[in-house]
Amino acid sequence: MGWKNANPNIRCNVSSCSYHCDDKQCCSLDSIDVKACKDCHSGKADQESMCGSYKCK
């Protein structure tokens, strides 16, 4: 969406998020909250954390 200001410091490819800037593959927020996934202790990065600032379009 053109009205959003892409933050190049927060790379993102989650197109279902309201803050996602499709044309830049970045987030439009100034900062995000990274949260631990509930009950996950696998040690694998893609399973341990998630964006706590996510908002569905």
Side-chain angles (χ1 to χ4, degrees):
M1 296 185 170
W3 59 270
K4 295 179 185 178
N5 293 320
N7 182 344
N9 294 312
I10 305 175
R11 307 291 299 158
C12 178
N13 63 5
V14 182
S15 60
S16 65
C17 183
S18 294
Y19 304 115
H20 180 69
C21 296
D22 293 321
D23 55 337
K24 303 287 185 187
Q25 293 297 307
C26 293
C27 182
S28 63
L29 295 174
D30 291 331
S31 65
I32 61 168
D33 184 22
V34 178
K35 295 190 176 206
C37 293
K38 185 178 180 182
D39 299 324
C40 183
H41 305 287
S42 69
K44 296 178 182 177
D46 63 334
Q47 297 174 356
E48 291 288 335
S49 63
M50 64 180 190
C51 181
S53 302
Y54 174 84
K55 180 181 175 186
C56 188
K57 285 185 180 176

